[in-house]
Amino acid sequence: MNPLSLLPSVDRLLSAATVSSLIDLHGRAIVTGVVREVLGAAREAVKQGGAMPSEDALITRVGAGVTAKTTPKLRPVFNLTGTVLHTNLGRAPLPEEAVQALIAAARSPCALEYDIASGGRGDRDSVVDELLCELTGAEAATVVNNNAAAVFLLLNTLAQKKEVIVSRGELIEIGGAFRVPDIMSRAGAKLVEVGTTNRTHLRDFAENLGPRTAMLMKVHASNYAIHGFTHAVPEAELAALAHQNNLPFVVDLGSGTLSDLSAYGLPHEPTPREAIAAGADLVTFSGDKLLGGPQAGLLVGRRDLIARIKKNPLKRALRVGKLTLAALEAVLALYRDPDRLHLRVTAVRQLTRPEVEIRAAAERLLPTLKNALAGLPVTAEIVALKSQIGSGSLPVDRLPSAGFSIRPQGRKGGVLNRIEAALRALPKPVIGRIEDGALLLDLRCLEPDEETAFAAALAGLEVGRC
Ligand SMILES: *Cc1c(COP(=O)(O)O)cnc(C)c1O
């Protein structure tokens, strides 16, 4: 007799009690597909001489297959990496005001390009442009998909087939994919690098001006710093040189916070207002770095230049949707009250969270962690940590923080990888980092109202055997 005929039929598996409850949850189509896959794989395995699986084993595989297919890919996680604006984890978490605005805009039609006062057609930039001007001192503003798009659109509009003069020390790469020279050539502009890596002077710019020069550009070297014998030309001097030659001076600020975060003990990061006050004609910055909003690229500056940028057909290809604008408007509105930013803008709150508060959270949670790890050959303790701001903002500065260090008791580190994998396998994955032979969980970004959920998650931790 052919052993394959002993495998249950598709219909038989579909009528098993656990499988039919999966159908109720997820629908017949998905479950039937998984049942076929499981039976197909079992048939192959048996043909290769494997043992005949029991019906219960097949049903378990169907359950696992359906779970794998129906779990959303974009899952919320606990960011305990110690990097607040973690690009791979979606950068800034949005404040509640922005979440509510986003939901409202998602759920119903909204006045995206409709002027409610006149009943006529509107402009989607008008959702935020007044706020952006108020907060930066600029004449006009526009919004695109991200700061890379903002820089690209600016160059393509104002410097196509022309030259852009940039200091050699500012030809940066951000996150592997954004390189100033590459963006420049894709935008159709010719890069003229001047000065040296560590020192660039005003005369380097002046000597390279020519009939094809479109603009002078400054790129904020967000993610690295050079120390020692260095010189960069101040923005006001570059602006003056550009204006003497009837050229615009543009600044890619990268992060761009709208309020001086040094008031909260963070290092000073240049603001768009400062760049505009120094004479910049256009400034670009990200929505989801220090600003703490949704992914977006913000362009602010001279009215005539913004008008030209908005007329570029590529603006249409790079524009943002209503969800972004809804969240951005809500976050910008919070900046009108700078005294309470550190309470209301989630990213700012996490960046300014005092170390003592983080340590107190660690003390509350340590017993739960120790319970979860009981029986494993590791020691867990509270340690002082240094968090990073992330996303290339303020690269050399570290924020004093606290969290857990989990170390193997013996020499073998394999147990750390198992714990790290178990933390990632939780329904809301916990993402830490392994450094110098220890698994570190930095508690800076664990919001106080998430502590209970985090403790419950730890209680469910199941560390696999090696
Ligand atoms: C981050 C950054 C960019 C890219 O911004 P995205 O919003 O990630 O597209 C460009 N320039 C500088 C200086 C940056 O720091």
Side-chain angles (χ1 to χ4, degrees):
M1 189 183 126
N2 181 353
L4 291 178
S5 64
L6 292 173
L7 277 172
S9 67
V10 171
D11 284 339
R12 184 173 164 85
L13 281 188
L14 285 176
S15 59
T18 21
V19 179
S20 56
S21 66
L22 287 175
I23 294 175
D24 290 343
L25 272 175
H26 302 290
R28 180 166 292 273
I30 289 176
V31 180
T32 309
V34 173
V35 164
R36 291 217 162 92
E37 279 168 30
V38 165
L39 284 174
R43 201 171 294 122
E44 276 312 303
V46 172
K47 272 194 207 159
Q48 305 292 324
M52 174 67 61
S54 69
E55 196 164 311
D56 282 348
L58 291 170
I59 290 170
T60 308
R61 287 179 208 172
V62 169
V66 170
T67 305
K69 269 217 165 75
T70 54
T71 307
K73 296 270 194 283
L74 194 58
R75 281 161 70 195
V77 302
F78 288 107
N79 172 13
L80 306 192
T81 60
T83 300
V84 179
L85 301 171
H86 199 302
T87 298
N88 303 141
L89 301 181
R91 291 196 184 157
L94 290 177
E96 193 50 33
E97 286 85 347
V99 172
Q100 291 309 322
L102 194 151
I103 293 171
R107 204 169 261 147
S108 105
C110 58
L112 178 62
E113 290 187 353
Y114 182 79
D115 183 33
I116 294 174
S118 71
R121 193 189 155 90
D123 172 356
R124 67 178 64 203
D125 282 337
S126 66
V127 175
V128 290
D129 61 4
E130 281 173 26
L131 262 171
L132 278 168
C133 292
E134 176 188 319
L135 294 166
T136 61
E139 290 172 3
T142 183
V143 185
V144 287
N145 180 59
N146 56 13
N147 188 37
V151 174
F152 175 81
L153 188 62
L154 177 161
L155 292 169
N156 181 264
T157 309
L158 304 176
Q160 204 179 17
K161 300 203 175 96
K162 291 191 180 156
E163 295 175 353
V164 178
I165 310 183
V166 188
S167 162
R168 203 162 255 130
E170 296 174 359
L171 298 176
I172 52 166
E173 170 179 306
I174 310 239
F178 179 91
R179 287 178 153 194
V180 173
D182 295 346
I183 292 279
M184 190 89 67
S185 67
R186 288 288 170 154
K190 181 165 185 287
L191 170 67
V192 178
E193 325 171 19
V194 300
T196 60
T197 305
N198 56 332
R199 289 173 72 84
T200 301
H201 304 277
L202 192 62
R203 62 170 187 274
D204 295 320
F205 285 88
E207 284 163 5
N208 283 282
L209 287 167
R212 306 204 59 78
T213 309
M215 63 175 69
L216 304 190
M217 183 171 187
K218 186 169 180 69
V219 182
H220 183 55
S222 329
N223 56 1
Y224 85 115
I226 41 176
H227 297 280
F229 188 54
T230 64
H231 186 260
V233 187
E235 284 168 10
E237 289 178 28
L238 281 177
L241 178 66
H243 298 160
Q244 279 155 25
N245 291 278
N246 276 327
L247 295 171
F249 168 54
V250 308
V251 181
D252 171 14
L253 267 189
S255 197
T257 152
L258 290 172
S259 110
D260 183 2
L261 296 179
S262 62
Y264 301 107
L266 289 175
H268 180 78
E269 174 84 7
T271 64
R273 184 180 286 282
E274 287 164 2
I276 300 252
D281 299 286
L282 283 172
V283 182
T284 75
F285 54 104
S286 289
D288 55 353
K289 291 187 179 173
L290 283 176
L291 183 64
Q295 180 189 305
L298 312 178
L299 278 140
V300 301
R302 247 167 62 190
R303 193 184 315 282
D304 59 326
L305 298 178
I306 294 284
R308 280 173 66 192
I309 286 169
K310 290 175 70 151
K311 283 207 197 87
N312 186 332
L314 284 172
K315 166 69 171 39
R316 170 60 193 256
L318 301 172
R319 73 182 185 186
V320 291
K322 64 173 182 173
L323 302 185
T324 299
L325 284 167
L328 186 60
E329 181 185 21
V331 173
L332 291 175
L334 296 178
Y335 276 84
R336 287 178 143 165
D337 180 9
D339 300 338
R340 282 189 288 170
L341 276 185
H342 63 298
L343 301 173
R344 299 167 79 193
V345 177
T346 315
V348 177
R349 182 169 68 235
Q350 293 183 349
L351 288 168
T352 55
R353 204 171 167 202
E355 185 189 357
V356 285
E357 223 179 72
I358 306 171
R359 186 169 281 270
E363 268 149 21
R364 285 191 293 275
L365 289 163
L366 183 65
T368 317
L369 178 71
K370 287 199 154 162
N371 261 340
L373 300 176
L376 292 164
V378 290
T379 48
E381 54 176 357
I382 296 174
V383 288
L385 294 170
K386 296 273 187 211
S387 315
Q388 293 191 47
I389 297 174
S391 284
S393 310
L394 310 163
V396 280
D397 299 290
R398 294 283 189 277
L399 312 170
S401 185
F404 301 124
S405 162
I406 304 165
R407 282 189 181 279
Q409 278 160 354
R411 269 159 195 255
K412 293 213 186 97
V415 65
L416 284 193
N417 293 327
R418 278 156 50 213
I419 297 170
E420 192 261 350
L423 287 168
R424 272 189 289 113
L426 288 169
K428 180 166 172 176
V430 174
I431 318 290
R433 70 182 200 266
I434 291 185
E435 201 176 277
D436 298 334
L439 172 57
L440 302 178
L441 303 177
D442 185 324
L443 295 185
R444 171 175 297 277
C445 298
L446 183 70
E447 289 281 308
D449 64 3
E450 292 177 328
E451 260 179 49
T452 317
F454 179 66
L458 283 184
L461 190 72
E462 285 177 30
V463 180
R465 311 251 144 242
C466 37

